Amino acid sequence: MSTRAWTWVHKWSSLVCTAFMLLLCLTGLPLIFHEEIEHLPGAVEAAPMPEGTPEASMDRIAQAARERRPDDVIRYMFWDPEEHPNLTYVSMASRVDAPPDENNAVVVDSRTAQVLDEPRTNEGFMYVMLKLHVDMFAGLPGMLFLGFMGLLMVVAIVSGVVLYYPFMRRLRFGALRTRRSARIRWLDWHNLLGIVTVVWLTVVGITGSINTLDRIILAIWQQDQMAEMTAPYKGLPPVTRPAHLQKSIEAARAAAPDMAVRLVAFPGTAFSSPHHYTFFLKGGTPVTSRLLKPALVDAQTGVLTASRDMPWYVKTLFLSQPLHFGDYGGLPLKILWTLLDLAAIVVLGSGLYLWLRKPRAAPVPGAEAEPDAEPDAELAPVAAVEAKT
């Protein structure tokens, strides 16, 4: 491709997605620190108790949640011992097949089976930031749209890198022409920050696009492996008197003693079947702690019926999620992610500024721009070379 063709690709891929990438950068900043924000004063935590205090039966915990919300049914229970030790989160709704957004949460102390809180999960600052970042309050269409914007960002990055060398070949790397016009100064900062963060921007853009496919990927898993594991129960009536939850969770733990249960989907929910509890387990290594392994337990007998590793496409999704938000390396990596995100915001904003302030006069055909001269209007929006996140 010619330089002019690459310029056209870069310009339009950048301009189309810049506003949406700015939205994702801005909303992504607080989401990087969502765990720390959840621990701010006022957040519910389990009361201190002697180390080794045994956990209550899962049946007692489930019963406590049902007593608090007698008109609802339990759909999911999950645990996060690293961030919220000794707490069981119970997700309830008016019926087992209610829409995914219907979530009445109950927080229970895992040792005493005492209800501690009923947090509202569909309101507040972090909820708004998450919804804007994930789907702009537009559901699956919004997610897929943002995924497409992420792919356009990757196109802008690649085309911007192609244009970077011919544009900067007569300038020192990182040169900032501080005595030139404001537009030239912003162009230099745009190019410098863009090329320095190009790898990070590419990784975040690709993983973000993968994350927007999570509903589709999980639906494929349900139609594939989940359907295979539950095939023997096809056509049987749903379970009306489920087995004890504690007995079922012990059967799941016995199948993978080196893993820990992190979530259980109750019979009839999207991630189970009308005949099973589905327990999702995590390992203890840096990699396996990011993956989930399902274990299906017959909801009537409490006997394990199937368990297998997730397919490669689901593992890819699980591994891309922590990489996107930088939450696999503790606070230092989150700070680095924040600095890179701020740099991306500058690249995006400067790219938009350069486009709005592009020179009116057209360059002489075939003329080569001097390194200290006003850049060609088509090359100036080296706009978003890497301007997206």
Side-chain angles (χ1 to χ4, degrees), residues 214-268:
D214 65 346
R215 294 188 188 179
I216 295 175
I217 290 173
L218 293 175
I220 293 173
W221 172 77
Q222 290 171 311
Q223 306 268 338
D224 180 19
Q225 290 198 356
M226 188 67 171
E228 291 179 5
M229 290 188 287
T230 60
Y233 292 81
K234 188 175 182 179
L236 297 179
V239 172
T240 56
R241 301 188 64 180
H244 290 299
L245 182 58
Q246 185 65 35
K247 177 183 177 181
S248 300
I249 198 171
E250 289 172 357
R253 287 170 175 164
D258 58 336
M259 304 182 78
V261 176
R262 289 293 178 262
L263 183 147
V264 54
F266 276 61

Side-chain angles (χ1 to χ4, degrees), residues 265-337:
F266 276 61
T269 57
F271 298 103
S272 189
S273 80
H275 316 95
H276 294 87
Y277 290 111
T278 301
F279 296 91
F280 292 91
L281 302 97
K282 285 185 177 182
T285 69
V287 174
T288 59
S289 65
R290 301 295 177 177
L291 304 176
L292 291 173
K293 181 177 181 178
L296 274 65
V297 176
D298 190 308
Q300 188 163 349
T301 64
V303 175
L304 181 77
T305 64
S307 180
R308 62 174 71 175
D309 291 333
M310 287 290 196
W312 67 268
Y313 52 87
V314 179
K315 290 181 179 179
T316 300
L317 171 65
F318 288 158
L319 292 175
S320 72
Q321 291 172 340
L323 190 60
H324 183 72
F325 286 107
D327 62 356
Y328 59 87
L331 185 59
L333 193 62
K334 291 184 178 183
I335 294 174
L336 175 61
W337 246 239

